[in-house]
Amino acid sequence: MVDAYFITAKELSLLSPDTLPTELTSAKHMIYSSPATLDFNSPGAKGFGVKRAGLAIPGSVMLLIAPGCCGRNTQLLNELGYSERFFYLMLDDTDIVTGRYVSKIPKACEELLEELDYTPSVIMLCVTCVDALLGTDMERVCRACEDKTGVKAAPAYMYALTREKRLPPMGLVRKSVYSLLEPQKRRSDECNIMGFFSALDDGCEIYPLLKKAGIKKVRELGRCETFEDYQEMSRANFSLVLNSEARAAAQDMQTRLGIPFVELTRMFRTDKIHNQYRLLSQAIGAELDDSEYLSAAEKCIVDFKAKHGALTFAVGESINGDSFELALALTQYGFKVAEIYGTVGERNFVFVKKLAELSPDTRIYSNLSPTMMNYVPSPEIDAAIGADASYYHKGRAGIDFNGEAQPFGYRGVIMLFEELDKALAERGSAE
């Protein structure tokens, strides 16, 4: 039996994103499809994978063009109310070998419109690794569909093969969902928040901070109720990009609409959050006094540690955050992170290097490695963060930390420790 593969933070820090071990690169081995990998292998299963993300535009519908295996595990979409907005063009072996189905897509769009009693704002054409391998020109296909139906069409690329590339599927779909915005006169007191498909938690401090800076209207895709609301995002004076996977979308909006952007990173280290707000203040030319929110977050951490002690965590990647940055934050706060289950890439390698300095023996696993079938839970884990980490550590206190309301800034730190406190209390009561 081959033991579950892991590499320590110190060992990994001596490598680079281009020299990762085969076990950490999904394109170089078979993929272990366990419950822990459901989020990535079936992007429509939960959270905001490509399928659900492509429907983030108000009034949109989706045509999934795929073999049956790629259409599985979409039941949750129906449970969330998407059943009337989701259609299938199923491909057989001959379709895939010959590529003949491409000419059927405009007709399929026409047929799905006949099933609706309204005209959708856009038809999202969701394609899979089949089209990645065939090199299908989806921009041309979208134009053909619009010519056939009179309704706009846009691509949603569910290319699992490109998950570790510079522009992964979730980056591509973000670019697509903002691609329908049209030029409007920009307003100096409006801005966009980009990066997520659902809105930030209502209690996030970024809203009052921007308001004090003179921003009267903050728009987010997750708060748009109509297609008209969505189109008003093109009036923004600037955009705040809170997730690097939205960078390509923001760059496209800057080119097409003239809307510049400032990029921030979702982090859980309070000193880095404070520094980001300081830099944002300089970028927009307005003072952002975050001292009140900084104090509240630091008090929350101190109170949690006083109550529960220096816990040992396992951190997964199916969370609202970067598993390596979150592990680094916990380590800096005086906790121990024994294990991380995550995808290592260029964007988060800097966190690996810093983590190696503080916790060189932290073990890093890949959820997708077939060796995880032989994973043996570590008895030292006190609490797990992420549905994948909780799967590996059944019986331990755990949180999914993957809710609809997105954590960010100091509010994100408080949300994390509040959820952990609740889970630990419930676990203590059960025992």
Side-chain angles (χ1 to χ4, degrees):
M1 183 176 75
V2 179
D3 293 337
Y5 174 84
F6 71 84
I7 186 171
T8 66
K10 180 179 180 179
E11 291 168 338
L12 184 57
S13 70
L14 299 176
L15 304 176
S16 73
D18 296 324
T19 60
L20 295 176
T22 298
E23 291 84 355
L24 296 184
T25 308
S26 62
K28 296 181 180 179
H29 61 74
M30 296 185 69
I31 292 176
Y32 171 46
S33 185
S34 76
T37 64
L38 189 59
D39 284 351
F40 346 119
N41 287 352
S42 178
K46 59 172 71 173
F48 279 88
V50 172
K51 294 173 187 172
R52 188 180 176 198
L55 290 169
I57 300 174
S60 61
V61 296
M62 176 171 286
L63 178 66
L64 175 62
I65 305 154
C69 59
C70 297
R72 72 196 192 286
N73 295 326
T74 56
Q75 179 60 34
L76 187 60
L77 289 174
N78 295 336
E79 295 175 6
L80 294 172
Y82 292 92
S83 58
E84 301 301 317
R85 299 173 60 191
F86 206 83
F87 301 84
Y88 296 86
L89 174 59
M90 304 303 291
L91 309 185
D92 58 27
D93 291 347
T94 304
D95 287 326
I96 295 170
V97 171
T98 64
R100 67 181 183 183
Y101 66 90
V102 173
S103 62
K104 300 178 183 179
I105 297 175
K107 177 62 177 176
C109 289
E110 187 177 54
E111 290 179 0
L112 78 82
L113 291 178
E114 293 174 357
E115 296 295 319
L116 301 172
D117 57 6
Y118 66 94
T119 301
S121 57
V122 58
I123 302 173
M124 300 299 295
L125 302 179
C126 185
V127 291
T128 67
C129 298
V130 172
D131 291 280
L133 295 170
L134 292 176
T136 306
D137 184 348
M138 286 307 301
E139 298 295 336
R140 181 176 180 179
V141 173
C142 287
R143 290 194 297 270
C145 292
E146 186 171 349
D147 291 342
K148 182 76 170 179
T149 65
V151 176
K152 292 182 180 296
Y157 302 97
M158 197 167 69
Y159 290 173
L161 293 174
T162 62
R163 186 166 174 256
E164 282 129 6
K165 301 297 183 181
R166 289 182 179 273
L167 190 57
M170 296 310 296
L172 281 168
V173 75
R174 282 173 168 84
K175 185 176 180 181
S176 287
V177 298
Y178 290 104
S179 67
L180 301 179
L181 292 175
E182 299 176 355
Q184 293 191 62
K185 183 178 180 180
R186 289 162 51 205
R187 301 191 179 185
S188 61
D189 58 356
E190 298 185 5
C191 82
N192 296 324
I193 289 180
M194 299 174 59
F196 312 115
F197 299 101
S198 55
L200 299 184
D201 183 79
D202 290 340
C204 184
E205 71 279 352
I206 201 167
Y207 298 124
L209 287 176
L210 288 172
K211 185 176 181 180
K212 289 180 181 179
I215 303 300
K216 295 180 179 179
K217 186 66 178 181
V218 177
R219 290 191 171 83
E220 298 170 82
L221 186 62
R223 296 188 189 273
C224 294
E225 297 182 357
T226 67
F227 190 70
E228 288 70 28
D229 292 338
Y230 161 82
Q231 282 292 347
E232 288 182 353
M233 296 186 76
S234 62
R235 305 194 318 193
N237 189 42
F238 65 94
S239 295
L240 290 179
V241 176
L242 308 186
N243 186 328
S244 61
E245 289 185 333
R247 186 184 302 145
Q251 290 171 336
D252 181 62
M253 289 172 61
Q254 180 171 271
T255 300
R256 294 189 303 106
L257 308 175
I259 301 176
F261 66 94
V262 178
E263 187 169 346
L264 306 179
T265 301
R266 173 158 59 188
M267 293 189 286
F268 293 88
R269 292 168 291 164
T270 54
D271 58 331
K272 299 302 180 182
I273 296 170
H274 174 68
N275 189 51
Q276 280 202 136
Y277 281 133
R278 180 182 62 81
L279 295 174
L280 176 61
S281 176
Q282 295 175 0
I284 65 176
E287 183 179 356
L288 301 175
D289 183 4
D290 65 345
S291 56
E292 171 189 349
Y293 308 104
L294 171 60
S295 296
E298 290 179 335
K299 182 179 184 302
C300 180
I301 298 167
V302 171
D303 290 348
F304 178 89
K305 192 171 183 181
K307 182 177 180 180
H308 298 288
L311 301 176
T312 298
F313 291 96
V315 179
E317 67 179 325
S318 57
I319 60 173
N320 286 331
D322 183 287
S323 53
F324 294 94
E325 195 281 328
L326 178 54
L328 176 60
L330 291 170
T331 303
Q332 288 185 349
Y333 295 146
F335 301 101
K336 179 180 178 181
V337 176
E339 299 177 346
I340 302 172
Y341 319 100
T343 300
V344 184
E346 186 175 348
R347 291 193 301 269
N348 56 17
F349 205 81
V350 62
F351 304 135
V352 173
K353 288 186 172 295
K354 292 179 179 178
L355 182 64
E357 298 173 3
L358 300 176
S359 183
D361 295 326
T362 292
R363 300 181 295 277
I364 296 165
Y365 297 83
S366 169
N367 277 313
L368 305 181
S369 172
T371 65
M372 290 301 285
M373 289 187 289
N374 302 321
Y375 174 82
V376 177
S378 170
E380 66 180 318
I381 302 300
D382 296 308
I385 302 174
D388 46 351
S390 294
Y391 167 73
Y392 293 124
H393 295 281
K394 294 181 175 67
R396 302 292 182 184
I399 61 173
D400 288 353
F401 202 56
N402 194 24
E404 295 286 290
Q406 294 290 329
F408 186 80
Y410 302 121
R411 178 56 187 161
V413 175
I414 292 173
M415 290 172 69
L416 172 69
F417 285 102
E418 285 181 344
E419 288 190 29
L420 283 170
D421 180 62
K422 182 179 179 181
L424 287 162
E426 291 176 350
R427 180 61 186 165
S429 299
E431 294 177 346

